[in-house]
Amino acid sequence: MSNPFVQIVEPLDAAQPLKKFFNLSKLEDVRYARLPFSIRVLLEAAIRNCDEFLVKKQDVENILNWKVMQHKNVEVPFKPARVILQDFTGVPAVVDFAAMRDAVKKLGGDPEKINPICPADLVIDHSIQVDFNRRSDSLQKNQDLEFERNKERFEFLKWGSQAFKNMRIIPPGSGIIHQVNLEYLARVVMDQDGYYYPDSVVGTDSHTTMVDGLGVLGWGVGGIEAEAVMLGQPISMVLPEVVGYKLLGNPQPLVTSTDIVLTITKHLRQVGVVGKFVEFFGPGVAQLSIADRATIANMCPEYGATAAYFPVDDISIGYLVQTGRDKEKVLCTRKYLEAVGMLRDFKNSSQDPDFTQVVELDLHTVVPCCSGPKRPQDKVAVSDMKKDFETCLGAKQGFKGFQIAPDRHNSIVKFNFEGCDFELSHGSVVIAAITSCTNTSNPSVMLGAGLLAKKAVEAGLTVKPYIKTSLSPGSGVVTYYLRESGVMSYLSQLGFDVVGYGCMTCIGNSGPLPDSVVEAILQGDLVAVGVLSGNRNFEGRVHPNTRANYLASPPLVIAYAIAGTVRIDFEKEPLGINASGKKIFLKDIWPTRNEIQAVERQFVIPGMFKEVYQKIETVNESWNALDAPSDKLYTWNPKSTYIKSPPFFDGLTLALQTPKTIEDAYVLLNFGDSVTTDHISPAGNIARNSPAARYLTSRGLTPREFNSYGSRRGNDAVMARGTFANIRLVNKFIDKQGPQTVHFPSGETLDVFDAAERYKQAGHPLIVLAGKEYGAGSSRDWAAKGPFLLGVKAVLAESYERIHRSNLVGMGVIPLQYLPGEDARTLGLTGRERYTITIPENLKPQMNIEIKLDTGKTFRAIMRFDTDVELTYFHNGGILNYMIRKMAS
């Protein structure tokens, strides 16, 4: 079949007739001019691929007719230009590919057909931990320990980079995936196979949306879905609604991009944007740098949208030059975008497209703020932090409550650290981390933190030595400009030495706290605090001993570290008193925007980016020295506790198995709202009393060798035992937090894995009950794989976060949703019933199905297979089974 849109193909430049593009402005269709810019990217991809990848002319017409079709649950295919992965999600993807090659071979097919068709970049950034800090050699010691712990994983990834074509590995120590994507990998416009077309990307990390700030349409997908995309399968998506977010005015002088994104996060959670695109427009956008826009786009998962798109404008083009991209390619990029009507002028309202809905924010109304203590959307103005925390102390246990008895609000615990006496109380800061690509990608807030540190040191202020301080930049460029501008030494004097180039504290790789600090926290049952410049602060994520965690800008992280507590009113109380007895207030050391911009103009230059990134794939000598096998089929080591062939494809045949009704299922767990993927499949430390720890101990490992759950995602035996192993898990069957449940046949309270094993041995299927926003947070495929291995056949929830629902579909676990107006309470469900879920023969997307209880009660729920393609995956037992059958036949 030939492409029916060849008539709009033309050369970009008469001097380069072989470089062509689909000139969408030649469609001569008024509908195109009214499309949101994000939808124009979907349209171009559909037109360009109209003769392949199941893209039909009707799909193009549906996208072009977006204004009418957006409300009609219309399914459209989308083939992104690239895929990006990080190592926590990349290792299981490569494990799956290796196992899929074995499965295809067993079914008589060519195993090398399992190979990425869509280009993929895998950035190793999730493995390094903050084991060492506050010392000049912290970086080297943390990196050495990272290789010691993860050598086997890294050798496996290096094998993958050689065994599979089209897969590039960015070695450890290079930076954080999304910052590397923003500063180096992103093209904005692709120049490939003789065509120019918009860059687009999906990634196995939910914060892939960060690159939307540069005008590259991207979002996070489940690891399982990403694997299918890499193998050439298009994403099947429902044509999204697009919320126009209009920015007006100018930010106040003391406001940072962090304050803006935390304000937007709270606002859009209230608006409700789950499953929708958000597209930013209005004159206020022109006041934001690309780094500011990237910060806002980065936290898209926290406000629940699929994408958070900033169309390309001249500031975007300028950023490409600033970051050292090839000038000739940048000129072609601008020329292409102008030709197809995708270069935006935010001050020209005549370019404003149609949107499903428009909401506004006046940037001048934004004030300095934090978010917490347990969710990113719970914004608190800095001026209200002291009062808000003290209110949370006594409030009922929940997102904004710790239920501490009033007579214990002022408890103090004395302890000794390195020979000196100190005190801890509720609200004491014990972790202060400048971390995460959300903020370390932004020179203005990083230089702002450096200038604040300089003024603090010069004023005689210090940070208490027991507070775990750290600086983990998203790329080597950050260290470069901090050093060149002269502020690095001041950051070090306050304890903020560079500890590594990776996600670190933001994903829970915060390392241990001093023993005496932990003992004091436990002795006083204190609500200790972590303050970080990250994007997530869910319970149990940052550190097991910090029950309150606040997201803040890098300068505020330093300010709270100096104060030592969040129970401070910066306007009325001093940060500290120097050796001369002078009270130093935050306003005395806060740098002005003009100061920051002057330093940024002088020191953040293209040469830095070129120097760092031209050697990014070869600079790590430890990586270069790794010896990896060269076989196309992986030789599994039965003794390995890191890499194991998964059981997903055991017994797989070419013939389809008809889905069966789920009969008399027990409820494994009964949850409330906002259960995150961190609750379902934690990434952090492996508790010594957990099923995973018992398994690793039985294999001869000591607790020091356990590493983290995230690092062991290549081993299903560990990950199944780590499913629902979060110490902050709240299960309605149990009267306290913890990773346990009731095994109803015996009445015993067991670890979740042990209960699931008993059910499995007795042949009982399982389901999970949940409230709203089930599966919020990271795009963690093990949050679907783990329940699948435990024997969970379905989840019944009030609503799902987009990526997690997709992952459940990808594993063949049925996502069921209560009918509107119904939930467990209105239906009188306790979770102690047994559930029979009828699977009709002729399934249709989003059809209602019957659920019958052993009590005799019957009700209906929505089966959340949203597209025909998802139903195809379900009939195959999951997306990977579908791909194996496709490749084998």
Side-chain angles (χ1 to χ4, degrees):
M1 175 182 172
S2 60
N3 192 307
F5 294 94
V6 290
Q7 72 271 17
I8 63 169
V9 173
E10 59 181 55
L12 184 67
D13 191 320
Q16 300 182 65
L18 297 180
K19 294 288 188 178
K20 303 171 186 176
F21 73 109
F22 284 84
N23 191 348
L24 274 62
S25 63
K26 290 283 184 72
L27 289 171
E28 297 178 357
D29 193 316
V30 70
R31 292 175 295 175
Y32 176 70
R34 304 306 307 160
L35 285 178
F37 282 65
S38 51
I39 300 298
R40 296 181 198 188
V41 178
L42 297 184
L43 178 67
E44 193 283 337
I47 286 176
R48 183 167 32 87
N49 295 298
C50 200
D51 60 347
E52 57 176 341
F53 298 106
L54 310 180
V55 181
K56 302 175 180 68
K57 195 168 183 180
Q58 185 58 50
D59 297 318
V60 173
E61 181 63 22
N62 286 340
I63 299 173
L64 195 56
N65 208 25
W66 167 83
K67 190 170 183 180
V68 175
M69 305 304 287
Q70 60 174 311
H71 304 297
K72 295 190 176 182
N73 207 39
V74 173
E75 176 185 356
V76 294
F78 173 57
K79 183 191 173 230
R82 300 182 289 122
V83 175
I84 58 170
L85 311 94
Q86 35 86 344
D87 53 303
F88 270 18
T89 52
V91 166
V94 179
V95 166
D96 287 346
F97 280 168
M100 289 169 78
R101 278 193 170 179
D102 292 343
V104 168
K105 184 179 180 183
K106 286 178 185 176
L107 292 175
D110 177 5
E112 290 194 43
K113 283 187 176 180
I114 300 294
N115 192 87
I117 294 170
C118 184
D121 292 300
L122 193 159
V123 181
I124 301 175
D125 64 0
H126 272 52
S127 299
I128 192 165
Q129 300 184 36
V130 191
D131 291 288
F132 297 92
N133 69 311
R134 285 185 175 251
R135 46 191 290 172
S136 59
D137 61 350
S138 294
L139 172 62
Q140 188 60 52
K141 292 186 80 67
N142 286 328
Q143 288 181 335
D144 289 346
L145 197 50
E146 175 190 22
F147 262 84
E148 180 186 325
R149 286 175 176 145
N150 297 285
K151 185 181 180 208
E152 186 181 346
R153 294 173 64 243
F154 292 168
E155 285 174 340
F156 177 68
L157 287 176
K158 196 163 188 180
W159 167 81
S161 69
Q162 297 167 178
F164 298 103
K165 300 171 186 174
N166 255 351
M167 180 186 288
R168 172 171 52 174
I169 306 286
I170 305 296
S174 304
I176 301 173
I177 178 173
H178 308 303
Q179 190 161 339
V180 173
N181 192 21
L182 186 75
E183 295 176 352
Y184 175 60
L185 299 174
R187 280 79 144 177
V188 177
V189 169
M190 302 293 288
D191 175 6
Q192 198 163 327
D193 300 327
Y195 281 91
Y196 288 101
Y197 53 94
D199 189 5
S200 58
V201 64
V202 294
T204 59
D205 189 285
S206 54
H207 295 104
T208 299
T209 52
M210 182 169 175
V211 80
D212 287 1
L214 183 57
V216 176
L217 184 63
W219 62 84
V221 296
I224 306 153
E225 189 173 12
E227 291 168 33
V229 171
M230 290 165 69
L231 294 174
Q233 188 75 2
I235 289 174
S236 176
M237 60 187 295
V238 173
L239 194 61
E241 296 181 9
V242 182
V243 175
Y245 200 93
K246 189 172 187 177
L247 295 175
L248 304 164
N250 291 305
Q252 295 184 50
L254 300 182
V255 164
T256 66
S257 58
T258 315
D259 304 317
I260 295 171
V261 71
L262 296 180
T263 301
I264 289 172
T265 298
K266 181 175 183 178
H267 185 197
L268 284 177
R269 271 289 172 187
Q270 292 168 338
V271 170
V273 292
V274 172
K276 302 175 184 178
F277 283 7
V278 174
E279 184 168 311
F280 293 85
F281 74 110
V285 177
Q287 306 302 317
L288 303 175
S289 68
I290 294 304
D292 293 337
R293 299 176 196 181
T295 297
I296 294 167
N298 177 285
M299 287 191 70
C300 173
E302 281 64 56
Y303 41 86
T306 299
Y309 191 64
F310 287 83
V312 181
D313 68 348
D314 280 328
I315 294 176
S316 317
I317 300 296
Y319 179 83
L320 294 176
V321 174
Q322 183 193 28
T323 50
R325 264 74 165 207
D326 182 88
K327 288 185 178 179
E328 190 63 36
K329 289 183 179 179
V330 173
L331 287 173
C332 289
T333 293
R334 194 182 195 287
K335 190 171 185 178
Y336 167 79
L337 292 168
E338 275 189 309
V340 294
M342 289 194 199
L343 189 68
R344 188 74 162 92
D345 178 358
F346 289 104
K347 294 178 181 177
N348 181 359
S349 61
S350 68
Q351 287 189 7
D352 293 352
D354 293 329
F355 294 111
T356 309
Q357 174 188 2
V358 172
V359 291
E360 294 185 358
L361 175 69
D362 183 346
L363 293 171
H364 193 71
T365 64
V366 177
V367 298
C369 57
C370 301
S371 277
K374 302 181 185 182
R375 295 191 304 180
Q377 63 261 44
D378 293 329
K379 177 178 75 86
V380 186
V382 170
S383 57
D384 296 332
M385 272 286 284
K386 181 178 182 179
K387 180 182 177 183
D388 187 82
F389 179 82
E390 291 174 347
T391 300
C392 289
L393 271 183
K396 182 181 177 182
Q397 183 70 242
F399 298 126
K400 293 288 286 185
F402 297 101
Q403 210 162 331
I404 303 296
D407 61 346
R408 294 184 45 243
H409 284 199
N410 295 311
S411 297
I412 291 174
V413 179
K414 298 180 184 293
F415 70 102
N416 186 276
F417 178 73
E418 295 183 345
C420 297
D421 292 328
F422 297 97
E423 295 178 347
L424 285 183
S425 58
H426 294 297
S428 289
V429 174
V430 294
I431 290 177
I434 298 176
T435 181
S436 171
C437 53
T438 310
N439 286 289
T440 68
S441 59
N442 194 328
S444 64
V445 293
M446 295 303 291
L447 288 168
L451 291 171
L452 183 140
K454 180 176 185 291
K455 293 185 178 189
V457 170
E458 290 171 345
L461 296 176
T462 59
V463 175
K464 293 180 177 66
Y466 62 81
I467 296 176
K468 187 157 192 178
T469 48
S470 61
L471 168 58
S472 49
S475 81
V477 174
V478 180
T479 308
Y480 203 145
Y481 66 65
L482 289 176
R483 187 176 62 242
E484 291 298 306
S485 61
V487 297
M488 191 70 243
S489 62
Y490 296 100
L491 287 162
S492 296
Q493 287 179 66
L494 292 181
F496 290 92
D497 299 278
V498 173
V499 296
Y501 296 97
C503 302
M504 304 189 91
T505 302
C506 186
I507 60 165
N509 285 357
S510 46
L513 289 172
D515 289 342
S516 58
V517 172
V518 173
E519 289 166 7
I521 293 170
L522 296 177
Q523 179 187 332
D525 190 26
L526 298 177
V527 180
V529 176
V531 183
L532 66 153
S533 63
N535 46 40
R536 290 197 176 129
N537 54 346
F538 303 131
E539 278 189 285
R541 178 183 175 94
V542 175
H543 193 280
N545 299 116
T546 56
R547 286 157 70 185
N549 296 282
Y550 288 92
L551 308 181
S553 66
L556 279 175
V557 170
I558 296 176
Y560 280 112
I562 294 169
T565 180
V566 294
R567 297 172 80 171
I568 180 172
D569 184 337
F570 286 133
E571 294 178 10
K572 299 175 182 176
E573 301 172 64
L575 274 177
I577 300 172
N578 65 16
S580 304
K582 182 182 178 183
K583 293 180 178 179
I584 308 297
F585 288 82
L586 181 58
K587 63 184 178 183
D588 300 328
I589 62 170
W590 194 272
T592 66
R593 178 166 292 173
N594 287 339
E595 284 179 89
I596 296 169
Q597 289 176 344
V599 175
E600 184 175 350
R601 280 193 297 271
Q602 184 176 355
F603 292 104
V604 183
I605 56 176
M608 288 182 176
F609 292 88
K610 287 181 179 178
E611 185 174 336
V612 168
Y613 283 113
Q614 69 185 3
K615 54 189 179 184
I616 191 170
E617 295 178 48
T618 58
V619 73
N620 192 315
E621 293 299 332
S622 298
W623 174 264
N624 296 341
L626 287 177
D627 186 26
S630 57
D631 301 336
K632 296 299 182 183
L633 292 175
Y634 187 70
T635 304
W636 306 96
N637 178 1
K639 295 181 180 179
S640 174
T641 56
Y642 277 107
I643 306 299
K644 178 178 175 290
S645 182
F648 305 137
F649 315 122
D650 292 353
L652 183 67
T653 63
L654 284 174
L656 293 183
Q657 307 296 316
T658 303
K660 297 178 181 178
T661 289
I662 301 168
E663 294 186 5
D664 286 331
Y666 281 97
V667 176
L668 179 63
L669 295 147
N670 189 0
F671 293 128
D673 296 340
S674 297
V675 170
T676 71
T677 52
D678 279 288
H679 291 117
I680 304 168
S681 184
N685 293 334
I686 298 173
R688 296 187 181 194
N689 62 346
S690 65
R694 293 195 290 273
Y695 168 79
L696 292 170
T697 300
S698 74
R699 301 298 297 270
L701 274 66
T702 64
R704 183 180 176 274
E705 298 169 304
F706 286 173
N707 211 333
S708 64
Y709 282 114
S711 69
R712 292 196 178 270
R713 287 184 186 160
N715 187 310
D716 62 272
V718 176
M719 296 310 297
R721 288 164 173 81
T723 302
F724 300 113
N726 191 306
I727 61 169
R728 301 295 181 197
L729 195 73
V730 178
N731 174 14
K732 292 180 181 180
F733 295 150
I734 305 293
D735 58 6
K736 61 180 180 180
Q737 286 186 337
Q740 293 188 314
T741 195
V742 174
H743 176 253
F744 288 110
S746 67
E748 292 181 69
T749 296
L750 302 171
D751 287 331
V752 174
F753 174 78
D754 295 334
E757 279 294 286
R758 283 211 198 167
Y759 284 123
K760 186 184 294 185
Q761 289 164 7
H764 297 309
L766 297 170
I767 69 167
V768 170
L769 299 184
K772 299 180 182 71
E773 299 174 358
Y774 182 71
S778 301
S779 59
R780 197 161 290 175
D781 58 344
W782 268 107
K785 289 177 175 177
F788 170 83
L789 291 178
L790 294 187
V792 173
K793 303 299 182 185
V795 177
L796 175 58
E798 292 179 53
S799 66
Y800 294 88
E801 288 291 282
R802 175 186 58 86
I803 297 175
H804 184 63
R805 187 200 64 81
S806 173
N807 273 335
L808 291 174
V809 171
M811 286 308 299
V813 177
I814 304 172
L816 298 170
Q817 189 164 316
Y818 293 103
L819 297 179
E822 294 185 352
D823 55 31
R825 183 186 59 80
T826 63
L827 293 169
L829 306 181
T830 66
R832 296 173 183 271
E833 312 88 354
R834 296 181 72 174
Y835 292 66
T836 294
I837 301 166
T838 303
I839 310 296
E841 283 188 23
N842 298 315
L843 291 173
K844 296 179 181 178
Q846 294 196 347
M847 74 181 298
N848 291 354
I849 54 100
E850 183 178 87
I851 301 175
K852 186 175 182 179
L853 309 182
D854 62 344
T855 61
K857 182 181 180 68
T858 300
F859 64 97
R860 300 185 75 79
I862 305 166
M863 187 178 274
R864 284 292 310 278
F865 296 121
D866 290 353
T867 67
D868 287 320
V869 171
E870 290 186 346
L871 283 173
T872 299
Y873 296 155
F874 176 62
H875 283 293
N876 277 270
I879 192 170
L880 300 184
N881 292 356
Y882 167 79
M883 294 305 300
I884 288 171
R885 289 189 175 105
K886 182 178 177 181
M887 296 296 181
S889 60

